[in-house]
Amino acid sequence: MTNENVCILLPTLNEEATIGQVIRDFRSEGFDNILVIDGNSKDGTREIAAAEGARVVIQTGKGKGQAIKQAFDLIVEDYVVMADGDGTNLAKDVHAVLGPVLAGEADHVMGNRLVDYEKGAFTRLNLIGNKIINKMFGLAYGVWLEDILTGYRAFNRKAIRSFELKKSGFEVESEITIESVKKDLNIIEVPTTYLARHSEGATKLSPLRDGLKIGSTIYKMARLHNPMFYFGIIGGLFIICGLLVGTFVVMQWFQGVTRIPMTILTTLLIIAGFQMFVFGMLSDLVVSLHRENMRLLRKINEEKND
Ligand SMILES: Nc1nc2c(ncn2[C@@H]2O[C@H](COP(=O)(O)OP(=O)(O)OP(=O)(O)O)[C@@H](O)[C@H]2O)c(=O)[nH]1
Ligand SMILES: [Mg+2]
């Protein structure tokens, strides 16, 4: 097998400061098949990429997610490596990231940025946000990965064909990871080096806005994978509110004041909370049965294709 069967996918938006070097680095590692999916950059990104020998496609919509989805539909190669165009991923790590996919040990390899990162590569807010999101992901999906938001990944064809991506922005990394867990793909994390952004390139990520969007995507998508987590949180909130109001009612009662409407509210909140848990349990049953059926269907499909 030659590296022609590996497509290096680089999403870019105004990355003229780094894209040329990134492409040269991947080429010097032996990868010439490079696809740059560009979000209508207003600088010289596309011209530089084309001059360095990459195939350049302009995305039809907006956002990194839309770009990746469009690129996955275009790619015909058996293997894909996705990396950022801002020079924060090291091209020489490509062998570590791609290796397990080529060896058939994984369908999806994720380059963990949190083991070895340059000073300044993450702001304090980004680092805390990443850690919270990784823990939340573990709780919701039962798979404890160390860096679910990494942009450095490798996939085989089976993986990219199985993804059903709907999000258009920076939720794409979480969505790809969730899809991989849902579709029972073999996921491996490998350590990679993460560098700080080039001083002339600006980040496209807004930590608070995108962080909240990512958190909400992980939470909402958990409804169909771990409903107990989804409904449990809502139920827990109802019960906490019920207990707070209830405590107030009891305190007032000790002082000789009886608060009938608040007592009713307490009961309603607590009953509604418990009902959410019951919803969660029932949905869990439905989802588990569905998962079994999907596994069986995938197995039949794989056997048919063999
Ligand atoms: N095609 C396309 N690429 C995008 C878009 N937004 C960001 N990118 C690219 O996606 C990669 C990751 O975006 P960054 O802004 O670096 O986000 P990040 O790596 O999470 O954040 P930093 O840590 O600040 O670098 C970069 O190569 C961007 O140029 C978009 O809307 N369309
Ligand atoms: Mg970046």
Side-chain angles (χ1 to χ4, degrees):
M1 205 209 77
T2 68
N3 287 336
E4 270 308 295
N5 207 10
V6 179
C7 175
I8 306 285
L9 170 63
L10 305 172
T12 55
L13 178 60
N14 301 328
E15 302 290 4
E16 70 175 4
T18 47
I19 190 65
Q21 191 60 45
V22 171
I23 296 173
R24 282 195 293 281
D25 288 348
F26 274 105
R27 295 187 75 136
S28 63
E29 294 301 325
F31 297 85
D32 291 326
N33 183 354
I34 296 175
L35 172 64
V36 168
I37 180 105
D38 185 68
N40 263 302
S41 293
K42 298 281 171 282
D43 62 6
T45 304
R46 286 194 297 278
E47 292 71 22
I48 298 173
E52 293 294 345
R55 174 181 172 207
V56 180
V57 173
I58 304 180
Q59 76 179 90
T60 49
K62 272 199 169 0
K64 184 176 177 185
Q66 192 279 329
I68 299 296
K69 185 173 152 52
Q70 186 179 338
F72 281 172
D73 289 340
L74 282 176
I75 290 171
V76 291
E77 289 77 7
D78 287 330
Y79 304 96
V80 183
V81 173
M82 172 178 136
D84 285 353
D86 58 2
T88 50
N89 300 129
L90 268 188
K92 72 176 171 57
D93 283 339
V94 64
H95 309 286
V97 177
L98 184 61
V101 175
L102 289 184
E105 290 159 9
D107 301 307
H108 177 182
V109 179
M110 302 169 55
N112 183 352
R113 303 164 300 167
L114 296 167
V115 253
D116 177 26
Y117 54 89
E118 199 178 49
K119 194 167 171 280
F122 289 104
T123 60
R124 190 174 298 217
L125 182 61
N126 276 357
L127 199 58
I128 295 173
N130 267 279
K131 288 190 175 160
I132 294 176
I133 284 171
N134 287 321
K135 293 278 178 291
M136 179 178 166
F137 182 89
L139 275 177
Y141 297 89
V143 180
W144 295 87
L145 296 164
E146 283 177 36
D147 183 18
I148 71 148
L149 301 181
T150 175
Y152 207 176
R153 295 164 188 260
F155 312 97
N156 58 16
R157 224 175 147 69
K158 174 182 162 192
I160 61 167
R161 272 177 46 193
S162 71
F163 295 151
E164 290 166 72
L165 305 179
K166 299 191 179 73
K167 300 284 170 191
S168 59
F170 281 107
E171 304 96 317
V172 63
E173 279 92 4
S174 348
E175 205 183 16
I176 288 179
T177 316
I178 295 169
E179 280 287 295
S180 300
V181 172
K182 276 170 77 174
K183 304 283 161 63
D184 272 341
L185 299 181
N186 280 329
I187 310 172
I188 290 184
E189 275 188 310
V190 297
T192 54
T193 302
Y194 193 54
L195 305 175
R197 249 183 178 280
H198 190 279
S199 55
E200 282 164 33
T203 181
K204 316 298 167 321
L205 182 109
S206 143
L208 270 184
R209 199 193 56 211
D210 290 313
L212 287 176
K213 272 196 197 165
I214 291 168
S216 121
T217 301
I218 295 176
Y219 176 65
K220 284 188 192 146
M221 286 182 76
R223 190 166 58 97
L224 297 179
H225 187 78
N226 182 358
M228 211 40 219
F229 174 83
Y230 181 87
F231 288 108
I233 287 185
I234 305 178
L237 286 176
F238 269 97
I239 291 177
I240 290 172
C241 292
L243 290 177
L244 287 177
V245 183
T247 313
F248 177 73
V249 168
V250 172
M251 275 161 53
Q252 291 272 291
W253 185 73
F254 276 125
Q255 288 164 6
V257 188
T258 309
R259 302 218 174 244
I260 308 274
M262 278 202 170
T263 312
I264 297 173
L265 181 65
T266 306
T267 326
L268 285 178
L269 282 170
I270 293 183
I271 291 178
F274 275 109
Q275 256 183 345
M276 285 294 163
F277 279 103
V278 178
F279 278 165
M281 273 152 62
L282 287 176
S283 314
D284 206 67
L285 199 71
V286 176
V287 167
S288 305
L289 291 172
H290 173 74
R291 194 173 303 141
E292 284 303 310
N293 287 337
M294 288 311 286
R295 273 196 191 132
L296 197 67
L297 279 178
R298 270 198 294 274
K299 209 169 132 208
I300 295 173
N301 213 3
E302 273 165 25
E303 278 166 12
K304 203 180 87 200
N305 290 339
D306 280 347

